[in-house]
């Protein structure tokens, strides 16, 4: 019964929500609201147009930061993956900067860009740059030698080689890396907005708490963040499924 | 690759040093050329480092950050590994629980701070909770994936030899999944390190993350900011390298293609 | 139990393995696809049987059913009079590749099924089988250090160590280069003659079948039925240029419908 199989996770979630609501009702002094209040909060935000406005602000920053990182990190990563010496040279520096939380860049971001959109975009950029760089390098390493040799065998020029062998060969792994990095970007934008900016879903959470302990709105914000993040992930996954990128799975 | 001869051994040391020296030179030159009063030069940072060490501030902060990571990550592993193994072993359980995980995962641990403060107050505990949140998802996913990706052929061979379910899990499924589990644990540790720094910037008043924010807020000491950032990078790198060492142990090396 | 002794158990009707009216039907997308149909065969104890047929005809399916890994949709398989309902250590399946456990050494793999024995007994058996498959010196090596042929030998050693009645081999040399394949055939025969078991060997290679088998079961293409059972009456060691060998080989090629002039 296919329908019932799909019903099970939904039922599970409902059970958890009900348990949460009951737990909240049993502790009247608790500041944390229950799911009903949280969902009411979502409607309130939508009604005031705030949810859309803040979601768009967050998405705007993510898009810009992510795209800029893609444009810079991916070609660089592909080049480094190809030229081993370059990779050997820069690898220690990359490994040093990678574990630094993007948020640790906030003071520098504020110094260079002030408080606002540009700062947030810079943070997203930093957060996306290193994972994309590493993914691109790794993707080049993983190109089976047979493809490279075939490309050489057919006497392809450099540009033709990149377009007809390199690009299709790295695409599947790149897409997976991009999807994961987009997830990271979404996490970072929310955190960055909680600290350094005055709009967006992250700011919504901080503001709702500071200006009146509206924890129902805090939870509403968290739910919105979760849902949008999930949608972004699903959108990227559907991109991966497109036929021209799907050859990888048939290899395995 | 395009070079027929691979890079020789001496090159593995020379090129990074050259690149690092170049980077430092560019940095130094950029500071001088733009005449900035605020952004530190490499030498400012070095002095800042010395100052922090001298004042014994650095060690206490490092200790605090590492402690929070250790506890949060430890709990995440204790909870996440069994949970992940179960989800991988029972596909029906995975099907039920997975949507919830997918909904919770995109919510930055930082966004949980208000909720964490309600339950844990201010101080160490909310930071540990955040680390837990950050680490538990990659661990669960890696364990579940590792178990469900065990090739059928191993399970069939084990059943052929008459192994019971428990023996199958212990002697075949777990060793077969171990490489993937280790990768997940390593990634989770990296995330834990990122989260603890971020958490300390908001909700706590000690630790390396706090040092970064505080150095700026109390006196625009950007030399200390950068010093702290570099320290964060170094420790994160060391944690990662330690883990990679584990991946070279003989009984898991087979699962890592790039392990020489 | 002496290692070199084949298991002699009371055999009902004189046959080790018997398949009756065996059939397997797969359902996919609402359609029913018959993989094997109406298989009836009887295998004597200690026989070396080869199953040949075109690729994809269902040979592996048949093997899996006989080994107990797949339930037939019709008919049954009995071994020693007992109906086969699942995998069992008395009948071990050797796979084409990736069958050995990569996290265990050669010793670890061979000893895999021997955990219920005492330590001395286990070590003795492992040493014996390392010798038998000629992997001395590699006891502490991991499968990733071994060649393909060595890994297959390891699989055979692991299978034999638990003293099974029947050995099922699913195209075990298919992933090896042709020179190694020839060597491995000799090794398998040598091992089989040293420790006699019933062997059921699936292959798509006619020469391999004629060189190894006591009897060859030819399957038709899907849905697989027994097209012919060809007994090979040449004693071992077989001369692959002898007239009788070539005659039998031609016969088989004809059975499968292949011209023998290229």
């Amino acid at each position: 019964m296919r329908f019932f199989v799909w019903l099970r996770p939904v039922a599970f979630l409902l059970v958890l929500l009900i348990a949460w609501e009951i737990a909240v009702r049993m502790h009247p002094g608790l500041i944390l609201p229950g799911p009903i209040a949280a969902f009411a909060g979502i409607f309130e935000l939508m009604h005031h147009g705030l949810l859309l406005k803040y979601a768009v602000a967050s998405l705007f920053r993510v898009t810009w930061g992510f795209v800029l990182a893609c444009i810079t990190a991916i070609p660089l990563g592909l080049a480094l993956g190809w030229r081993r010496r370059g990779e050997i040279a820069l690898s220690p520096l990359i490994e040093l900067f990678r574990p630094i939380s993007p948020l640790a860049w906030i003071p520098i971001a504020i110094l260079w860009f002030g408080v606002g959109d540009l700062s947030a975009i810079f943070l997203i950029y930093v957060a996306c740059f290193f994972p994309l760089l590493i993914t691109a390098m790794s993707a080049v390493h993983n190109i089976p030698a047979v493809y490279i040799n075939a490309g050489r065998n057919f006497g392809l020029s450099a540009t033709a080689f990149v377009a007809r062998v390199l690009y299709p060969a790295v695409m599947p792994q790149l897409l997976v890396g991009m999807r994961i990095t987009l997830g990271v970007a979404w996490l970072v934008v929310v955190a960055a907005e909680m600290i350094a900016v005055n709009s967006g879903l992250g700011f919504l959470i901080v503001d709702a708490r500071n200006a009146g302990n509206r924890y129902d709105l805090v939870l509403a914000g968290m739910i919105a963040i979760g849902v949008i993040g999930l949608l972004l992930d699903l959108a990227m996954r559907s991109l991966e499924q497109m036929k021209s990128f799907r050859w990888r799975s048939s290899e395995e | 690759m395009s070079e027929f001869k691979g890079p020789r051994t001496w090159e593995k040391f020379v090129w990074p040093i050259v690149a690092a020296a170049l980077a430092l030179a560019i940095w130094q030159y950029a500071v001088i050329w733009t005449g900035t009063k605020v952004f530190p030069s490499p030498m400012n940072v070095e002095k800042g480092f010395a100052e922090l060490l001298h004042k014994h501030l650095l060690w206490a902060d490092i200790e605090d950050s590492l402690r929070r990571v250790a506890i949060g990550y430890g709990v995440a592993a204790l909870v996440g590994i069994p949970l992940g193994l179960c989800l991988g072993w029972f596909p029906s359980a995975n099907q039920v629980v997975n949507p919830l995980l997918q909904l919770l995962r995109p919510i930055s641990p930082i966004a949980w701070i208000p909720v964490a403060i309600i339950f844990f107050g201010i101080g160490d505990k909310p930071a540990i909770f955040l680390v837990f949140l950050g680490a538990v998802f990659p661990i669960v996913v890696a364990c579940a994936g590792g178990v469900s990706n065990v090739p059928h052929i191993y399970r069939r061979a084990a059943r052929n030899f008459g192994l019971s379910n428990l023996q199958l899990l212990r002697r075949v499924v777990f060793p077969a999944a171990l490489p993937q589990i280790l990768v997940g644990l390593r990634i989770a540790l990296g995330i834990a390190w990122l989260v603890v720094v971020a958490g300390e910037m908001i909700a706590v008043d000690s630790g390396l993350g706090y040092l970064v924010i505080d150095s700026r807020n109390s006196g625009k000491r950007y030399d200390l900011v950068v010093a702290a950032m570099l320290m964060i990078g170094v420790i994160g790198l060391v944690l990662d390298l330690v883990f990679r060492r584990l991946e070279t142990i003989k009984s898991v090396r087979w699962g890592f293609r790039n392990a020489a | 139990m002496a290692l070199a002794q084949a298991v002699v158990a009371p055999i009902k009707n004189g046959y080790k393995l018997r398949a009756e009216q065996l059939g397997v039907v797969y359902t996919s997308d609402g359609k029913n696809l018959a993989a094997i149909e109406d298989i009836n065969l009887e295998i004597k104890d200690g026989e070396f049987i080869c199953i040949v047929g075109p690729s994809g005809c269902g040979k592996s399916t048949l093997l899996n059913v006989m080994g107990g890994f797949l339930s037939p949709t019709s008919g049954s398989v009995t071994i020693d009079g007992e109906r086969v309902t699942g995998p069992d250590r008395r009948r071990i399946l050797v796979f084409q590749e990736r069958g050995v456990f990569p996290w265990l050494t050669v010793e670890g793999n061979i000893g895999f099924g021997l955990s219920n024995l005492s330590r001395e007994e286990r070590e003795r058996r492992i040493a014996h089988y390392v010798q038998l498959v000629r992997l001395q010196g590699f006891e502490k090596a991991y499968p990733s250090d071994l060649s393909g042929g060595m890994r297959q030998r390891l699989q055979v050693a692991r299978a034999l160590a638990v003293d099974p009645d029947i050995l099922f081999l699913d195209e075990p040399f298919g992933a090896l280069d042709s020179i190694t394949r020839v060597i491995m055939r000799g090794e398998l025969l040598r091992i089989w003659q040293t420790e006699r078991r019933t062997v059921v060997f699936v292959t798509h290679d006619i020469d391999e079948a004629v060189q190894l088998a006591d009897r060859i079961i030819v399957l038709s293409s899907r849905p697989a039925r027994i097209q012919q059972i060809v007994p090979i009456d040449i004693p071992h060691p077989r001369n692959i240029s002898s007239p009788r060998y070539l005659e039998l080989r031609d016969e088989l090629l004809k059975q499968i419908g292949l011209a023998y002039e290229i």
Side-chain angles (χ1 to χ4, degrees):
Chain A
M1 282 293 177
R2 290 246 176 100
F3 175 70
F4 288 121
V5 166
W6 174 83
L7 203 57
R8 281 193 303 196
V10 174
F12 179 64
L13 274 164
L14 277 175
V15 164
L16 285 179
L17 287 175
I18 294 173
W20 175 12
E21 182 72 32
I22 294 177
V24 161
R25 299 251 169 132
M26 291 206 305
H27 295 93
L30 191 63
I31 314 177
L32 187 74
I36 298 180
F39 281 104
I42 294 185
F43 281 116
E44 184 183 326
L45 289 170
M46 273 164 57
H47 189 239
H48 289 163
L50 281 177
L51 191 65
L52 193 65
K53 183 168 139 205
Y54 284 154
V56 165
S58 299
L59 284 169
F60 174 77
R61 291 162 186 148
V62 162
T63 309
W64 270 106
F66 181 71
V67 167
L68 281 171
C70 283
I71 302 179
T72 48
I74 293 181
L76 180 62
L78 293 177
L80 285 179
W82 187 252
R83 293 258 155 207
R84 282 296 184 136
R85 290 203 171 83
E87 186 188 331
I88 292 176
L90 290 181
S91 191
L93 281 174
I94 297 172
E95 290 297 312
L96 178 65
F97 276 95
R98 191 161 60 107
I100 304 179
S101 169
L103 298 181
W105 289 79
I106 285 183
I108 295 185
I110 297 184
L111 178 66
W112 286 346
F113 302 102
V115 174
D117 265 349
L118 233 52
S119 243
I121 294 176
F122 173 69
L123 289 174
I124 307 296
Y125 176 81
V126 168
C128 295
F129 183 80
F130 293 105
L132 285 172
L133 188 69
I134 292 170
T135 301
M137 294 195 303
S138 166
V140 173
H141 293 165
N142 285 341
I143 302 179
V146 288
Y147 298 167
I148 300 176
N149 291 338
R152 278 219 185 111
N153 209 179
F154 283 91
L156 292 177
S157 70
T159 25
F161 182 82
V162 168
R164 297 173 62 187
V165 177
L166 193 77
Y167 161 78
V170 296
M171 233 14 207
Q173 191 172 342
L174 266 185
L175 278 179
V176 173
M178 282 166 73
R179 173 167 57 82
I180 296 175
T181 307
L182 188 60
V184 169
W186 188 243
L187 291 176
V188 170
V189 80
V190 166
E193 286 165 352
M194 288 174 77
I195 303 176
V197 204
N198 295 330
S199 64
L201 288 170
F203 172 74
L204 167 64
I205 290 182
V206 165
D207 188 52
R209 175 176 165 265
N210 289 348
N213 276 344
R214 289 294 306 273
Y215 279 93
D216 55 338
L217 295 183
V218 166
L219 287 171
M222 284 170 74
I223 295 173
I225 291 170
V227 168
I228 296 180
L230 180 59
L231 289 174
L232 285 174
D233 191 72
L234 291 176
M236 281 300 291
R237 274 188 204 266
S238 64
L239 206 65
E240 283 170 36
Q241 295 290 12
M242 279 169 56
K243 260 226 145 153
S244 49
F245 300 129
R246 255 206 315 195
W247 62 268
R248 239 308 159 72
S249 40
S250 64
E251 288 274 299
E252 273 125 44
Chain B
M1 300 290 116
S2 54
E3 292 113 27
F4 281 101
K5 263 191 290 180
R8 284 151 289 191
T9 4
W10 64 263
E11 304 200 56
K12 293 206 177 116
F13 294 103
V14 167
W15 289 118
I17 296 180
V18 166
L22 211 64
L24 281 172
I26 294 177
W27 178 7
Q28 175 79 14
Y29 182 65
V31 166
I32 296 177
W33 184 60
T34 53
T36 170
K37 298 264 178 358
V38 201
F39 198 83
S41 70
M43 290 195 273
N44 293 135
V45 172
E46 196 212 326
K47 290 208 195 92
F49 237 126
E51 186 184 323
L52 284 172
L53 280 171
H54 192 68
K55 283 199 206 154
H56 297 290
L57 286 174
L58 199 57
W59 292 120
D61 283 326
I62 293 178
E63 211 184 284
D64 282 338
S65 297
L66 282 176
R67 182 169 39 91
R68 291 165 187 148
V69 165
I71 301 178
Y73 182 78
V75 175
L78 275 170
V79 167
I81 295 180
L83 180 61
L85 294 178
C86 279
L87 291 182
W89 185 248
F90 299 110
S92 45
N94 190 28
Q95 191 245 352
V96 169
V97 174
N98 197 40
L100 175 67
L101 292 179
Q102 298 300 349
L103 270 173
L104 289 178
R105 198 154 60 121
I107 307 178
S108 169
I110 311 296
W112 287 80
I113 286 185
V115 175
I117 293 183
I118 293 182
F119 285 117
F120 300 104
I122 305 223
D124 251 11
K125 293 212 196 88
I128 295 175
F129 177 66
L130 293 187
V131 170
F132 167 81
L133 278 177
V136 82
F137 290 109
I139 292 179
V140 169
V141 166
C143 289
V147 168
S148 58
N149 283 342
V150 172
H152 282 301
I153 214 174
Y154 297 153
R155 293 203 210 190
R156 282 213 292 171
R159 288 216 188 276
N160 207 177
F161 284 91
L163 262 55
S164 71
N165 260 349
L166 205 59
Q167 289 173 317
L168 175 70
L169 257 165
R170 192 171 54 85
R171 296 178 62 192
V172 173
V173 170
F174 187 72
L178 205 48
Q180 205 166 335
I181 296 178
L182 276 184
V183 171
L185 285 175
R186 175 166 58 79
I187 293 177
L189 186 59
I191 295 179
W193 186 242
L194 290 176
V195 169
V196 81
V197 166
E200 285 165 351
M201 294 174 78
I202 307 182
V204 206
D205 44 12
S206 70
L208 284 171
Y210 175 73
L211 182 59
V212 168
I213 270 265
D214 188 55
S215 305
R216 176 193 169 263
N217 289 348
S218 57
K220 301 254 163 101
R221 291 294 306 273
Y222 281 94
D223 54 339
L224 297 181
V225 166
V226 176
M229 281 171 73
L230 288 176
M231 198 68 230
I232 293 172
V234 165
I235 295 181
L237 180 58
V238 166
L239 290 174
D240 194 66
L241 286 176
V242 163
F243 235 104
R244 282 190 197 263
R245 262 278 141 189
L246 283 175
E247 290 173 10
T248 60
I249 296 178
K250 273 234 148 181
S251 50
V252 286
R253 229 167 50 173
W254 58 272
F256 297 104
R257 216 172 350 154
N258 295 320
Chain C
M1 183 166 24
L3 290 165
Q5 219 178 6
V7 172
V8 180
I11 301 168
K12 302 216 178 101
N13 304 323
Y15 289 110
K16 189 74 180 170
L17 183 153
R18 165 178 263 175
E20 285 172 300
Q21 305 283 91
L22 212 52
V24 172
V25 177
Y26 289 121
T27 350
S28 135
D29 289 340
K31 280 189 290 217
N32 286 343
L33 293 158
I36 59 178
E37 234 173 43
D38 198 27
I39 303 282
N40 290 288
L41 51 79
E42 284 152 349
I43 300 177
K44 291 207 239 343
D45 191 15
E47 255 196 309
F48 197 124
I49 299 283
C50 273
I51 302 180
V52 299
S55 240
C57 71
K59 315 189 284 291
S60 290
T61 308
L62 178 56
L63 203 69
N64 280 312
V65 172
M66 291 199 287
F69 290 98
L70 209 55
S71 288
T73 26
S74 52
S76 67
V77 179
T78 45
I79 296 182
D80 285 338
E82 218 184 287
R83 202 173 157 150
V84 168
T85 46
D88 194 295
R89 42 193 288 149
R90 291 169 296 174
R91 39 184 184 268
I92 303 283
L93 181 50
V94 171
F95 305 94
Q96 187 177 72
E97 52 179 350
R98 304 234 229 132
V100 291
F101 298 127
W103 60 88
L104 294 175
T105 57
V106 165
E107 280 178 338
N109 265 286
I110 298 180
F112 185 74
L114 305 177
S115 44
N116 51 331
L117 295 176
S118 70
R119 206 163 135 238
E120 301 91 50
E121 178 64 24
R122 192 162 79 234
E123 283 176 13
R124 207 160 62 81
R125 281 219 195 175
I126 293 176
H128 170 88
Y129 283 103
V130 166
Q131 278 261 352
L132 186 64
V133 299
R134 301 216 247 243
L135 279 175
Q136 302 97 320
F138 288 96
E139 289 88 343
K140 306 273 184 219
Y142 281 90
S144 51
D145 304 323
L146 305 175
S147 70
M150 292 162 93
R151 283 199 286 265
Q152 292 306 86
R153 298 208 309 257
L154 176 58
Q155 244 200 104
V156 170
R158 182 181 72 183
L160 290 174
V162 294
D163 208 17
D165 299 345
I166 307 182
L167 213 54
F168 292 112
L169 298 122
D170 193 352
E171 302 201 42
F173 309 144
L176 308 172
D177 64 86
S178 54
I179 294 178
T180 312
R181 245 182 277 158
V182 173
I183 298 174
M184 291 293 291
R185 284 175 211 160
E187 290 288 286
L188 185 62
L189 276 177
R190 180 183 58 84
I191 294 171
W192 175 66
Q193 281 159 344
T194 316
E195 296 192 7
R196 200 101 180 188
R197 327 263 165 179
T198 317
V199 173
V200 182
F201 188 109
V202 164
T203 179
H204 59 262
D205 187 337
I206 305 280
D207 280 283
E208 196 160 69
V210 183
Q211 286 163 21
L212 295 174
D214 291 333
R215 280 192 297 152
I216 300 181
I217 300 176
V218 181
L219 294 181
S220 65
S221 39
R222 190 179 281 247
R225 295 161 162 270
I226 297 188
Q227 196 170 305
Q228 180 85 324
I229 300 186
V230 181
I232 309 288
D233 48 20
I234 316 174
H236 290 291
R238 292 178 183 166
N239 182 346
I240 63 173
S241 318
S242 71
R244 182 68 184 138
Y245 174 91
L246 295 170
E247 209 181 307
L248 285 164
R249 193 168 149 275
D250 284 350
E251 166 74 28
L252 276 152
L253 285 171
K254 248 203 297 209
Q255 279 293 328
I256 301 211
L258 290 174
Y260 41 88
E261 273 178 332
I262 293 183

